[in-house]
């Protein structure tokens, strides 16, 4: 076992991890973080997506021991101080059905909009290509991300900075 220190949703956490433990298992089974889901367990479905130093990554493919000193955001952290505009729009548009993919989709779309606030439709589709959804057919997901980006562009810069 080796001690690692991470910033998890804004809080510094220390935990001893085995060399072969995935970040997904440590988050779900030992740190009480349940929004990243285990779908395929091999990098194909995106259900386990988290933000690692702001980038959307598959937590099933990363060993916990590798993330020492890094910052991790899960959906618990994204919605902690009230839903973001993206989350509100997903709820309002009734985008998800079973919700299994929702955490990964929201985090991947959040990372995209943080890096590229005005993506094209193809950029949204490319950013979400690794997040499989067996329910929606993707159209409502893509349309909602584009609508939120368009809405943000219409807002004054000061209010955009407060919440995206
Ligand atoms: Fe990680 Fe499917 S569980 S990509
Ligand atoms: Fe069911 Fe996406 S809403 S998998």
């Amino acid at each position: 076992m080796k001690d690692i220190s991470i910033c998890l949703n804004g809080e510094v956490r220390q935990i001893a991890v085995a060399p072969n433990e995935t970040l997904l298992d440590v988050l779900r089974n030992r740190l009480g973080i349940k929004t990243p889901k285990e779908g395929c367990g091999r990098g194909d479905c995106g259900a386990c997506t988290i933000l690692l130093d702001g980038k959307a990554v598959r937590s099933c493919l990363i060993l916990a021991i590798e993330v020492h000193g890094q910052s991790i955001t899960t959906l618990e952290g994204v919605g902690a101080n009230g839903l973001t505009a993206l989350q509100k729009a997903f709820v309002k548009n009734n985008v998800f059905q079973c919700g299994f993919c929702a955490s990964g989709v929201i985090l991947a779309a959040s990372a995209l909009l943080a890096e590229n606030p005005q993506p094209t439709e193809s950029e949204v589709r490319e950013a979400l290509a690794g997040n499989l959804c067996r329910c929606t057919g993707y159209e409502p997901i893509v349309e909602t991300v584009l609508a939120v980006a368009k809405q943000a562009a219409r807002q004054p810069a000061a209010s955009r900075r407060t919440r995206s």
Side-chain angles (χ1 to χ4, degrees), residues 15-93:
I15 187 165
V17 299
N20 61 348
E21 272 185 295
T22 67
L23 179 56
L24 176 62
D25 284 343
V26 169
L27 288 172
R28 285 188 58 85
N29 302 334
R30 301 181 54 208
L31 290 170
I33 296 291
K34 298 297 188 186
T35 56
K37 302 288 189 288
E38 179 158 12
C40 63
R42 59 179 196 190
D44 291 336
C45 74
C48 66
T49 300
I50 57 142
L51 302 183
L52 185 61
D53 287 343
K55 288 205 174 321
V57 297
R58 311 270 184 267
S59 60
C60 72
L61 292 182
I62 295 171
L63 294 174
I65 208 164
E66 296 176 288
V67 302
H68 174 65
Q70 292 185 267
S71 176
I72 292 168
T73 304
T74 66
L75 198 62
E76 286 87 346
V78 170
N81 298 315
L83 298 182
T84 64
L86 186 64
Q87 287 175 299
K88 285 181 190 164
F90 277 134
V91 171
K92 181 164 170 268
N93 296 348

Side-chain angles (χ1 to χ4, degrees), residues 95-102 105 132-138 141:
V95 167
F96 298 112
Q97 292 175 32
C98 78
F100 193 82
C101 69
V105 168
L132 305 186
C133 176
R134 60 196 166 190
C135 303
T136 70
Y138 303 102
I141 294 174

